[in-house]
Amino acid sequence: MHSLILATATRLIAALMLVFSVFMLLRGHNDPGGGFIGGLIAVTAFALYAKSRGVDEARRALTVHPTNLAVAGLGCALIAGVLGLVRGQPFLTGQWITIGGDGHGHGGLALSSILLFDVGVYLVVVGSVLGVIFAMEEEI
Amino acid sequence: MTDLLLIAPILVSFATAVAAYLARRSRARTRAIGLAGSAVLLAIAVVLLAEVWRLGPIAMQASAWPAPFGITIVADLFSAIMVLIAAIIGFAVTIYSLGDIEPDLEAAGYYGLYHVLIAGVCGAFLTGDLFNLYVWFEVMLMASFGLLVLGGSPAQIDGGIKYVSINLISTVMFLIAVAILYGLTGTLNMADLSVAVAEVEDDGLLTVVAILFVIGFGIKSAVFPLFFWLPASYHTPPVAVSAIFAALLTKVGVYALIRMFTLIFTHDVGFTHGLLLAIAGVTMVTGVLGAAAQNQVRSILSFHIVSQIGYMVMGLALFTPLGMVGSVFYLVHHIIVKANLFLVSGVMNRLAGSFQLGEIGGLWRFKPLVALLFMIPAFSLAGMPPLSGFWAKFVLIRASLSLDTGAGYLIAATALVVGLLTLFSMTKIWGEAFWKPHPAGDHGVAPRLTAGRSALLLAPIIGLAGLTLAIGLYAEPFYQVSLAAAEQLLSNEAYVAAVIGDGAVLAAAGSGR
């Protein structure tokens, strides 16, 4: 299927969706949202791209093979989980470090294993769902 | 230490999956990682069962969120038994895969998907949280879809689409039921739920939720009338894949049914478990009749999964201690036997050249060892003494007779007749594939395998057949463990106490449960 309207609109919409997916991913850091829903939004963007431009174009736009993404994500999530174990706490217990700030929890950049876990989930969702979608689209 | 032990089966499987994928450029290394992962999992599962046997139910709270707010990982005896049996099958089928799976599938990530599937199965057995159970079902679904279509022949894609669509319906049912249950009780922790459902006033709505769970898990476990996806998809993938599916996937559904209907939905046993009993009876009969009409080895075996699921649900539906023993024992026996039959069917195909009964024969004359290895699981499946299936059926029928009701006698009679019909199907395979001469003459049966490869194929079959014999000849210890597991299932104070502490149990006792 080729539609000029869809193809043109996709350029804009897909880019917006990708930005929004990263926003959702980071927002889940402290508020509802996070890797899963962010990943699904990114998948929607690429699925739309594949619909309007063909799977080959979409694969090229993704640059990385979907399976690689999924496995990388699984690795991130595993590492985030094991970090707690290393410090003698239960599996998946959140570990935090703050870069900068005044040392009393104000300001600075707070990084956590939770964020790493969410990034992992994001990558797993993007990789696995896109893998299925691309495979099916090529089959049809 | 128990914290680590509880999460270890899931961690090891995921780590193996990632490692196998990272090493995908070297065939030898992926195979070694796949095998090592399965072996480590087996060792962990043994230790886990020993710990649970010693300590009673044990639990951990993931990321240190206290129950019922966080995700609880919990193992009682039933969970630990299921993890161990999954690990045994996982190990056996991994060895078989080394000889069975073609190099291009190995390169496409077979061992990675395989271990993600095992992780999903172990996670489902170990989780103490209903929504988390849903997540594990999804993990299994993704991995099993990948395995099902690996290789990508049109028949596989066809079976895969059917499999995924029907499973998505099941998942949606499950999710709706979870949502309503959360609305009713405000919790999704299973131990907490077992306390909280006692305070739900609307018993009717609770029964509706219970039925939604029956439908959701019923599709997963392939009970009547929701089993059609199973025979439609299990005969297409590589033999190792269909063996691991046949052994574990439907049984996770049965596990979930047993867990839900012993721990949570015991408010109206007359109706819910009565319905389960009816489902069990019809499932047994339709499965075995479906099998009688098939002429392809793996299709026959697939229909027999359906019929055997009926027996496991039957033990749950009887809801007596002996019935639960029967269910647990039957699960263990069936997983071993069914995996083994699928593995043997693969060897038969490689030797005689087809899965179609009409196109093969002569295996008894040329390959008596394979014939013997088929005979053990096949007759165990049919319930011939002294094999494991005999004891499993014996306990179940004894349990239903001791009910001393019309329904009890009816289900016992059904179970016996279905056993006889199972024997008919097995003798059909026996007569066609083993006794009858090969249609292509004496050259029909040819060793199409190198010695190393056939050792990899036969070793797990011999091991599993040995287990079947061991359970049959030394049934007592297995019976005792099943008995202890059944007691924990029926009086779940220890389970609840392990998850949320003793206070909640006292409160539950105070509210008249």
Side-chain angles (χ1 to χ4, degrees):
Chain A
M1 176 185 69
H2 184 76
S3 145
L4 186 63
I5 297 172
L6 183 66
T8 314
T10 299
R11 290 168 67 119
L12 198 65
I13 296 171
L16 267 178
M17 279 173 138
L18 287 175
V19 174
F20 185 58
S21 82
V22 175
F23 170 76
M24 285 308 276
L25 165 67
L26 293 178
R27 196 183 113 102
H29 192 34
N30 282 324
D31 284 312
F36 193 87
I37 187 68
L40 282 182
I41 294 169
V43 166
T44 319
F46 278 102
L48 193 63
Y49 199 76
K51 272 277 172 216
S52 67
R53 292 289 192 86
V55 177
D56 289 342
E57 280 288 321
R59 276 193 194 279
R60 212 166 299 142
L62 189 63
T63 63
V64 190
H65 195 276
T67 319
N68 290 2
L69 271 185
V71 176
L74 194 57
C76 287
L78 264 182
I79 292 168
V82 175
L83 281 179
L85 280 178
V86 172
R87 299 190 53 182
Q89 289 162 324
F91 181 66
L92 276 175
T93 306
Q95 309 295 327
W96 293 81
I97 50 165
T98 310
I99 298 168
D102 58 5
H104 300 288
H106 297 290
L109 177 65
L111 292 177
S112 65
S113 64
I114 299 157
L115 181 62
L116 182 63
F117 185 80
D118 254 343
V119 171
V121 172
Y122 181 92
L123 293 178
V124 170
V125 171
V126 171
S128 52
V129 180
L130 271 185
V132 173
I133 289 179
F134 285 170
M136 284 190 173
E137 194 76 6
E138 275 166 354
E139 205 61 41
I140 295 163
Chain B
M1 191 53 218
T2 55
D3 277 13
L4 189 58
L5 188 61
L6 275 168
I7 199 75
I10 302 167
L11 271 184
V12 167
S13 306
F14 273 137
T16 311
V18 173
Y21 188 78
L22 289 180
R24 68 189 179 284
R25 291 192 207 289
S26 152
R27 177 157 177 249
R29 237 176 288 155
T30 21
R31 289 157 63 94
I33 290 170
L35 185 62
S38 303
V40 172
L41 178 64
L42 182 56
I44 291 170
V46 171
V47 178
L48 179 65
L49 181 59
E51 280 293 289
V52 174
W53 180 253
R54 195 166 62 88
L55 298 171
I58 48 177
M60 71 153 287
Q61 316 298 340
S63 58
W65 289 96
F69 306 109
I71 293 170
T72 304
I73 304 287
V74 52
D76 65 347
L77 215 41
F78 183 42
S79 297
I81 291 172
M82 295 306 289
V83 170
L84 176 59
I85 202 77
I88 291 174
I89 295 300
F91 184 60
V93 176
T94 306
I95 298 176
Y96 191 90
S97 305
L98 297 177
D100 181 54
I101 299 296
E102 302 303 327
D104 57 326
L105 296 191
E106 289 184 322
Y110 170 79
Y111 293 103
L113 284 170
Y114 181 87
H115 282 280
V116 172
L117 179 71
I118 301 281
V121 172
C122 290
F125 289 152
L126 286 173
T127 185
D129 183 279
L130 207 47
F131 189 77
N132 196 234
L133 181 63
Y134 160 81
V135 174
W136 291 119
F137 270 115
E138 288 294 283
V139 171
M140 283 191 315
L141 186 62
M142 293 302 274
S144 54
F145 179 71
L147 285 172
L148 207 52
V149 302
L150 207 63
S153 74
Q156 281 181 314
I157 304 271
D158 178 59
I161 302 266
K162 282 178 196 149
Y163 173 82
V164 163
S165 336
I166 191 79
N167 268 290
L168 282 179
I169 294 174
S170 147
T171 313
V172 169
M173 287 287 183
F174 181 13
L175 205 55
I176 293 172
V178 167
I180 302 177
L181 196 57
Y182 185 69
L184 281 174
T185 60
T187 180
L188 286 176
N189 184 295
M190 293 200 246
D192 199 30
L193 269 174
S194 80
V195 180
V197 286
E199 269 134 53
V200 173
E201 280 161 14
D202 195 345
D203 264 6
L205 190 52
L206 207 55
T207 307
V208 171
V209 177
I211 299 307
L212 279 176
F213 276 111
V214 170
I215 298 172
F217 294 140
I219 293 176
K220 299 275 183 204
S221 52
V223 298
F224 180 86
L226 309 164
F227 63 84
F228 294 97
W229 61 271
L230 191 149
S233 58
Y234 272 25
H235 62 282
T236 54
V239 174
V241 173
S242 57
I244 197 87
F245 282 14
L248 296 179
L249 290 191
T250 47
K251 261 54 81 182
V252 179
V254 177
Y255 166 86
L257 272 180
I258 291 180
R259 187 60 82 198
M260 298 300 286
F261 284 88
T262 54
L263 189 61
I264 299 172
F265 296 116
T266 52
H267 60 286
D268 188 2
V269 173
F271 177 72
T272 51
H273 291 63
L275 178 72
L276 284 173
L277 193 64
I279 290 175
V282 188
T283 305
M284 282 188 239
V285 174
T286 43
V288 87
L289 290 181
Q294 298 297 317
N295 276 313
Q296 206 252 49
V297 180
R298 283 204 283 178
S299 298
I300 296 178
L301 295 177
S302 298
F303 271 103
H304 275 295
I305 300 176
V306 176
S307 122
Q308 305 281 313
I309 293 291
Y311 285 94
M312 297 163 214
V313 177
M314 168 183 161
L316 166 67
L318 294 172
F319 206 55
T320 60
L322 200 57
M324 295 309 302
V325 175
S327 266
V328 176
F329 198 105
Y330 211 104
L331 269 165
V332 172
H333 137 76
H334 172 84
I335 289 177
I336 296 172
V337 161
K338 184 55 80 177
N340 208 4
L341 280 172
F342 270 89
L343 297 183
V344 176
S345 79
V347 175
M348 286 159 60
N349 173 44
R350 283 181 184 278
L351 290 173
S354 174
F355 285 109
Q356 292 291 343
L357 284 179
E359 296 168 15
I360 58 177
L363 282 165
W364 168 249
R365 190 167 152 212
F366 295 101
K367 295 285 169 191
L369 176 66
V370 176
L372 181 71
L373 289 174
F374 172 79
M375 202 160 81
I376 292 172
F379 282 101
S380 181
L381 189 76
M384 296 287 280
L387 298 161
S388 59
F390 169 72
W391 299 108
K393 285 203 171 69
F394 176 75
V395 172
L396 280 176
I397 288 168
R398 179 82 191 274
S400 48
L401 289 180
S402 65
L403 277 187
D404 205 19
T405 59
Y409 288 118
L410 186 64
I411 198 82
T414 312
L416 284 171
V417 172
V418 169
L420 199 64
L421 288 172
T422 309
L423 191 59
F424 161 74
S425 271
M426 291 303 125
T427 44
K428 182 168 89 179
I429 299 180
W430 180 258
E432 293 278 327
F434 291 94
W435 266 356
K436 159 189 104 179
H438 197 287
D442 281 357
H443 303 293
V445 179
R448 292 174 171 82
L449 295 166
T450 60
R453 222 168 159 191
S454 59
L456 284 173
L457 296 182
L458 288 179
I461 297 177
I462 294 172
L464 293 178
L467 262 178
T468 308
L469 274 177
I471 299 178
L473 297 175
Y474 300 98
E476 182 64 17
F478 294 93
Y479 177 81
Q480 289 300 339
V481 175
S482 306
L483 183 65
E487 276 166 1
Q488 281 183 10
L489 281 172
L490 285 178
S491 72
N492 39 43
E493 280 88 4
Y495 183 93
V496 176
V499 176
I500 41 181
D502 295 323
V505 182
L506 291 177
S511 69
R513 286 188 81 229

